[in-house]
Amino acid sequence: MGLGPEDRALAAYLLVEEALSYDELRQAIDEAEQSPKSLEQTLVLRGALDADTVEALAEQARSREAPSIRRVRPSSSVSVETPWSDGSPSELRDGDTLFDIPPLGREAPLWGGAAAEGTSDLEPTRPGARLPDMDEGSVELDAEGVDETDSSPPAVELSEPEYGAARFKIRRELGRGGMGRVVEAFDEAIGREVALKVLLPPQDAAHLAHRRFWTEVQATGQLEHPSIIPVHDVGRLPSGELFYVMKKLTGRTLADILRALRREDESTQDEFARVRLLTIFQQIAYAVAFAHSRGVVHRDIKPANIMVGRFGEAILIDWGLAKVLGVTEESPPAEEPSVEARSATETASGTITGTPQYMSPEATEGDPRLVSDRSDVYGLGVVLYEILTLEPAFEDRGFVPTVMQVREGNFVSPRSKRPELSIPEELDELCIAAMALRPEDRPSAKDLADDLGRILEGARERERRVRELQARLREGRAAADRWKVLKLQLQQAETEAKRLRKEVPPWAGLAEKQKIWGLEDRVSELKVEAVGAFEEAEAAFLRALGEVSDDREARNALASLYFSRFCEAERSRDADALRYFRRLVARYDDGAWEALLEGRGTIEVTSRGPKVEIEVAALQPVQRVLQPGEPISLGPTPTGPAELSPGSYLLTHRSASHPPGVVPILMGRTQSTKLVLQPRTQEEIGPGFVHVPEGAAIIGGDSVAHGSLDRQVVDVPEFAIARFPVTCDAYVSFLNGLAERDLERAKSHVPRARAHEGFYWHWSEERSCFELPETSPGGHKWTGDLPVNGISAEDALAYIEWTRETQGLDVRLPTEIEWEKAARGVDGRFFPWGDEFDPNFCKMKDSRAAPYPEPEPVGAFPIDCSVYGARDMAGGIRELCWGQVDGETRPVMRGGCWHDTGLFCRVAFRHVTQMDFVNTGLGFRLAKSVR
């Protein structure tokens, strides 16, 4: 809730009178700030003081509060109403205080602030008078700031300047403080713009403001340094006000710059990188070191008192609080009690002790004798802290709480306060050393500047490396973006080339093929360009890491690039590339990609109808065949969310009333899957059929398989498909049944070598039926368990029509999308058993050591089995399906046969054919809808 003015006055008075220990008072203040009780009530409740004592002390504190005190500064700034004020005190607000805090454990005046002794005779005797150079009768300071003559300087005689105040043409006012105002003027004698600091009335030489004005003139005038504003002249204006002439400054204060950086102003960020700010700080530190060598302490070092010019100048301004070492300061007259604390962003004058947020701990005790050159070093440390973190070391909580923080050294190290800014450890240590609680533990200002110079040498090299790193990052990102665009263009060109190859027949003329060749050439060019763009991006990011090996942005850029390739390999089921790019992502991962590489998702399962028990097993390659591992029970439906890593799984569901069912699952990275099961009875599925549940499946996308569809994820409705292709036994039964009605029609559907000739089977007049020949014209034996072959789509439709009529089964040819899902499941594998091929896995031309390949009975190769239980879909016999080709339903051949190579055994293989086309390796299997 904060302390009110009376509580703050009581707190200050208790410290002055040492009525309580510092720790007891601090605890009482903290408690009062967090409660609605006053400080008086809190002290009584805590038992620190009895009620009468507290009341008496509070009354004394109120009586010490001068009624003429008023607030003239924002935040924690308080000043005295001077004799020329209007006598109407301003209202104090939270955070203001009327009392300085004297040192604990020693006698100290309640009212702080003093002017240098021996300065009352420095008033010029006439308008236009100026202060000459120091002569033998003036204070001479050695390198250590010790007065080797007398304890106080004698009066200085001033002579009339040659031109006087009339030489300065006054223009606009530039700023105003408690002691004076700064105006812009034109020096007509030299022809230059200058600034005049004019002392506000009165001009009484005994007044504290008058004496402090001359202290500033003397201190600044002796310090000829590039980072200390020079004093050109001194005198009175015709109106009587004292003034001194100084260089007119242009630019911004460091406080303004830091505020803009906190707002993340882009132009300021570009102009004032950390190394630039540290260079400015080093200039100021050397200026302070020079002042210390001349025996002058600034006493109010803060960002608002550091001017930064447009051409690299850095100047420490406002020496109004300067203290000359070896010269005793006196307290202000008793009739002018005053304690004014400056705000962090404004310059004030009068009887000032400093700015609480930037005061050294010893300066807060109100004893000028404790202030030394190491007090300025503390102020430099606090400024360095703000440069590094862009935040003050101490929050401005009002005068008393802020001073308490400073006295305790209660601040967080720069690296701990802003870890995201990557503050170098050596800068952190330098700042902490400058802000040491004990003055003797702090370095000198020159040592501070020298140490910073050594750090800056390394920082400049780092900054050069960072600039180079940023350039390489920009180059790499541009190349990575170009690579992505090229990949998209390549995909589009390949699709268009594939479409044209389908539209243009092989026998077409050269003119018709020119466009195809042009597209194929463009595909080749795009492949080369894409590879080049990827390599360029990779090289740029690696060069960036060569500049700054631990840069997180460059490491992340490389990890992102490799993760894109990792995802490509995952899509194309390239196991070698998958492992390679996974290792590269992990190598440059600083933690952001680990979860994506791990990619764990969740699955929840519900079921329509009866509850079922759920088990799930990961499919892993065992001797090049994907096989389920140890099953994990998910319990009965509905199951809760279960975590699964990315990959292929086989889910099994069981119930007492239904046969076991299987559902293949492809768990994507960080995917959340909600699966709804529909258990089916064996009657619903049908004898000799396997159930394929509804759901999405990856179709096409096999660049090796001839005629493969483009990769797509398709939602396929539920259906059932025959476990095996139609056999010779089943087909001869169809022919014999059809012959009873129409023998000639039956004869037209006999397996054959060509559309209308080369029939393999013959009609037995003796037995009135079709018989399988002992051998085919090619020499192989015909048996009833062989898949039927040598038939057309017209033959398959006749067989389906007869089966529907005679057996009442609602069967049909599968669509090619249904056939492909039944063969490869949902994960886009290349073969029913996985991604690797071997002639022993299915029936094809190299499966046996025989001079000529021959067909074999269905089911002869157990590995040729899909996750649903459909057999012989890679080899044995090519199968007819329905496909959509240019908006028309056309017969499409799928799968390999006994005399094909392994390329035709890939389940994405397809070949569009005609209704009457027959082939010795062409057969079919049935499908049915499930209702």
Side-chain angles (χ1 to χ4, degrees):
M1 297 190 53
L3 297 180
E6 291 188 357
D7 281 346
R8 291 197 296 274
L10 175 58
Y13 185 73
L14 290 173
L15 281 175
V16 171
E17 298 300 324
E18 299 185 50
L20 278 180
S21 71
Y22 178 79
D23 288 341
E24 286 181 308
L25 179 57
R26 176 59 186 268
Q27 292 170 7
I29 290 173
D30 289 344
E31 187 174 328
E33 285 183 328
Q34 302 300 320
S35 72
K37 299 181 180 63
S38 67
L39 181 58
E40 293 184 45
Q41 295 171 323
T42 302
L43 289 168
V44 174
L45 291 174
R46 289 176 57 85
L49 296 169
D50 59 63
D52 293 338
T53 302
V54 173
E55 184 177 355
L57 290 169
E59 182 61 34
Q60 293 174 35
R62 284 191 289 273
S63 68
R64 295 291 294 272
E65 182 176 347
S68 64
I69 294 176
R70 65 188 177 92
R71 170 187 160 276
V72 296
R73 292 280 167 231
S75 187
S76 57
S77 175
V78 186
S79 71
V80 176
E81 182 186 59
T82 56
W84 58 83
S85 67
D86 60 8
S88 56
S90 300
E91 180 183 355
L92 290 166
R93 68 179 185 183
D94 287 347
D96 298 334
T97 181
L98 305 180
F99 297 92
D100 197 359
I101 298 182
L104 295 178
R106 64 168 59 91
E107 294 296 330
L110 176 62
W111 305 104
E117 291 183 346
T119 59
S120 59
D121 297 328
L122 292 179
E123 179 185 2
T125 57
R126 54 194 174 275
R130 60 179 178 143
L131 185 67
D133 295 335
M134 301 292 289
D135 57 21
E136 294 182 359
S138 301
V139 177
E140 286 291 334
L141 305 176
D142 63 9
E144 297 300 320
V146 179
D147 180 3
E148 294 182 342
T149 56
D150 195 2
S151 61
S152 61
V156 178
E157 292 294 331
L158 299 173
S159 60
E160 182 74 29
E162 184 178 354
Y163 293 99
R167 67 188 279 186
F168 301 108
K169 185 176 181 181
I170 306 300
R171 294 178 177 172
R172 62 191 177 95
E173 184 173 302
L174 300 175
R176 181 181 291 258
M179 185 179 79
R181 61 193 177 98
V182 179
V183 297
E184 181 183 69
F186 183 75
D187 185 343
E188 295 185 330
I190 298 179
R192 63 179 174 183
E193 290 186 339
V194 294
L196 271 59
K197 184 165 184 178
V198 183
L199 180 63
L200 293 174
Q203 302 295 322
D204 182 3
H207 193 271
L208 181 61
H210 183 280
R211 284 172 290 173
R212 196 168 289 288
F213 177 87
W214 285 110
T215 300
E216 181 175 359
V217 171
Q218 277 193 310
T220 311
Q222 294 182 64
L223 303 177
E224 295 185 5
H225 187 277
S227 291
I228 299 175
I229 190 167
V231 173
H232 298 321
D233 207 343
V234 66
R236 285 185 188 272
L237 294 176
S239 54
E241 297 104 320
L242 285 170
F243 71 89
Y244 69 81
V245 185
M246 56 185 171
K247 174 184 176 182
K248 181 189 173 185
L249 300 177
T250 59
R252 306 162 67 182
T253 68
L254 181 58
D256 292 333
I257 293 168
L258 293 175
R259 274 195 297 270
L261 291 174
R262 281 193 286 271
R263 295 195 308 269
E264 298 183 354
D265 179 75
E266 289 186 9
S267 62
T268 306
Q269 287 175 328
D270 291 341
E271 186 176 358
F272 293 98
R274 180 184 290 164
V275 171
R276 172 81 190 281
L277 291 176
L278 291 175
T279 303
I280 291 167
F281 176 82
Q282 186 188 31
Q283 292 176 254
I284 298 302
Y286 275 127
V288 173
F290 174 77
H292 291 171
S293 74
R294 302 301 302 271
V296 178
V297 179
H298 187 279
R299 292 204 297 186
D300 197 23
I301 297 173
K302 60 185 178 182
N305 283 342
I306 297 172
M307 286 290 296
V308 179
R310 290 179 296 173
F311 303 101
E313 320 97 293
I315 298 177
L316 181 61
I317 62 173
D318 197 354
W319 293 76
L321 276 183
K323 170 183 169 64
V324 180
L325 297 175
V327 177
T328 304
E329 291 189 358
E330 63 180 24
S331 299
E335 69 274 11
E336 286 191 28
S338 173
V339 178
E340 181 179 356
R342 300 189 182 206
S343 72
T345 57
E346 294 193 31
T347 297
S349 57
T351 53
I352 304 171
T353 58
T355 304
Q357 285 175 283
Y358 301 93
M359 280 184 186
S360 63
E362 62 271 17
T364 66
E365 297 189 357
D367 187 348
R369 294 170 299 179
L370 299 178
V371 175
S372 68
D373 57 351
R374 295 303 195 270
S375 303
D376 276 353
V377 172
Y378 186 91
L380 288 170
V382 182
V383 172
L384 177 58
Y385 187 103
E386 195 162 343
I387 286 173
L388 295 176
T389 66
L390 302 182
E391 297 178 18
F394 303 102
E395 184 182 350
D396 187 358
R397 299 178 179 175
F399 191 81
V400 173
T402 303
V403 166
M404 286 181 174
Q405 289 184 87
V406 173
R407 285 188 177 181
E408 294 174 351
N410 185 18
F411 68 91
V412 179
S413 73
R415 280 167 62 88
S416 300
K417 188 160 191 173
R418 297 295 300 275
E420 73 277 11
L421 295 181
S422 302
I423 298 168
E425 188 173 352
E426 58 267 31
L427 283 175
D428 187 81
E429 292 173 353
L430 189 66
C431 180
I432 292 172
M435 293 177 65
L437 206 56
R438 300 193 311 167
E440 58 268 28
D441 293 335
R442 304 170 199 151
S444 68
K446 187 174 185 307
D447 287 343
L448 178 66
D450 289 343
D451 289 344
L452 180 59
R454 284 186 284 272
I455 294 172
L456 275 174
E457 286 303 314
R460 289 189 183 98
E461 174 60 18
R462 283 195 299 272
E463 188 174 69
R464 184 201 66 77
R465 286 180 172 274
V466 168
R467 285 197 302 271
E468 186 67 18
L469 173 137
Q470 293 298 331
R472 300 290 77 76
L473 282 177
R474 288 193 294 271
E475 179 185 320
R477 290 194 187 98
D481 290 342
R482 191 167 69 257
W483 172 65
K484 292 174 184 176
V485 171
L486 287 169
K487 292 289 289 183
L488 182 60
Q489 292 175 348
L490 175 61
Q491 182 181 357
Q492 292 169 344
E494 286 178 328
T495 301
E496 180 65 12
K498 185 185 294 185
R499 184 186 65 80
L500 283 178
R501 280 195 295 268
K502 292 177 182 177
E503 291 178 354
V504 178
W507 56 84
L510 297 181
E512 294 181 73
K513 293 181 178 178
Q514 289 291 339
K515 189 173 183 180
I516 298 177
W517 294 344
L519 271 174
E520 289 175 340
D521 291 343
R522 179 58 178 156
V523 167
S524 298
E525 292 171 2
L526 286 171
K527 285 180 178 178
V528 172
E529 289 181 31
V531 170
F534 179 85
E535 291 176 346
E536 185 180 334
E538 181 183 38
F541 293 144
L542 287 172
R543 287 199 299 271
L545 280 178
E547 296 293 342
V548 184
S549 60
D550 60 347
D551 184 76
R552 296 188 67 180
E553 194 173 0
R555 291 176 63 85
N556 184 68
L558 262 177
S560 176
L561 188 70
Y562 291 138
F563 187 76
S564 297
R565 293 296 302 273
F566 173 82
C567 292
E568 279 188 2
E570 194 169 46
R571 284 167 57 94
S572 61
R573 302 183 72 82
D574 186 339
D576 292 337
L578 198 65
R579 286 190 294 270
Y580 176 73
F581 287 110
R582 184 188 187 96
R583 284 197 300 269
L584 287 178
V585 174
R587 179 184 301 173
Y588 296 101
D589 179 25
D590 289 330
W593 298 93
E594 183 177 357
L596 277 175
L597 284 175
E598 182 66 21
R600 294 180 69 82
T602 59
I603 184 170
E604 298 178 66
V605 185
T606 59
S607 60
R608 303 187 186 101
K611 287 187 177 182
V612 293
E613 289 286 333
I614 303 297
E615 286 183 348
V616 64
L619 294 174
Q620 300 293 339
V622 179
Q623 296 184 342
R624 302 196 171 191
V625 176
L626 289 176
Q627 297 182 14
E630 190 67 26
I632 301 171
S633 175
L634 302 185
T637 54
T639 68
E643 282 196 350
L644 295 177
S645 296
S648 295
Y649 293 84
L650 189 64
L651 183 144
T652 305
H653 56 88
R654 294 180 174 87
S655 71
S657 57
H658 292 74
V662 295
V663 181
I665 299 168
L666 177 62
M667 178 59 68
R669 299 197 166 273
T670 66
Q671 175 182 323
S672 294
T673 299
K674 293 186 178 181
L675 188 63
V676 180
L677 301 180
Q678 176 64 71
R680 293 296 184 180
T681 65
Q682 191 58 57
E683 183 181 359
E684 290 173 314
I685 298 170
F689 285 80
V690 296
H691 183 228
V692 180
E694 65 177 330
I698 296 173
I699 302 298
D702 185 349
S703 60
V704 178
H706 170 78
S708 169
L709 294 168
D710 292 332
R711 188 182 191 276
Q712 53 192 306
V713 178
V714 181
D715 280 317
V716 185
E718 176 185 23
F719 68 99
I721 195 165
R723 188 178 300 276
F724 295 108
V726 173
T727 63
C728 289
D729 274 343
Y731 197 80
V732 77
S733 296
F734 148 66
L735 290 179
N736 288 330
L738 185 59
E740 293 176 2
R741 303 178 187 175
D742 189 340
L743 178 58
E744 292 305 315
R745 185 182 173 201
K747 287 181 179 181
S748 69
H749 294 302
V750 170
R752 54 203 179 275
R754 287 169 294 280
H756 304 291
E757 59 184 355
F759 293 92
Y760 296 139
W761 300 354
H762 63 275
W763 171 260
S764 173
E765 294 290 347
E766 182 182 346
R767 301 178 58 185
S768 298
C769 68
F770 286 96
E771 293 181 341
L772 302 181
E774 291 186 3
T775 60
S776 71
H780 71 265
K781 296 181 179 179
W782 289 91
T783 60
D785 54 4
L786 289 177
V788 68
N789 64 87
I791 57 141
S792 67
E794 292 173 340
D795 302 327
L797 290 178
Y799 177 90
I800 288 169
E801 181 184 359
W802 175 80
T803 302
R804 286 177 171 177
E805 290 179 1
T806 60
Q807 300 180 30
L809 298 178
D810 187 16
V811 294
R812 55 181 171 79
L813 281 179
T815 67
E816 62 172 328
I817 299 298
E818 289 176 328
W819 189 96
E820 188 169 336
K821 179 178 179 180
R824 71 195 304 194
V826 299
D827 55 15
R829 63 186 65 188
F830 300 135
F831 304 97
W833 55 83
D835 293 324
E836 303 289 339
F837 179 78
D838 188 271
N840 287 303
F841 292 169
C842 68
K843 179 57 186 175
M844 44 86 65
K845 79 181 189 69
D846 298 321
S847 298
R848 306 296 183 195
Y852 301 103
E854 293 186 354
E856 297 189 34
V858 296
F861 288 78
I863 292 178
D864 189 358
C865 180
S866 77
V867 291
Y868 303 106
R871 305 284 295 274
D872 301 347
M873 299 194 81
I877 196 75
R878 292 182 185 173
E879 300 179 16
L880 287 161
C881 308
W882 292 124
Q884 291 297 312
V885 181
D886 298 330
E888 296 181 12
T889 302
R890 299 272 299 277
V892 179
M893 292 188 292
R894 287 298 200 123
C897 73
W898 77 82
H899 54 70
D900 278 337
T901 65
L903 288 177
F904 294 92
C905 298
R906 304 174 76 91
V907 290
F909 159 76
R910 61 191 290 272
H911 182 76
V912 180
T913 187
Q914 304 297 324
M915 290 294 294
D916 62 348
F917 176 79
V918 297
N919 183 273
T920 54
L922 184 59
F924 69 103
R925 78 173 68 211
L926 300 177
K928 63 188 292 287
S929 300
V930 178
R931 299 182 176 85

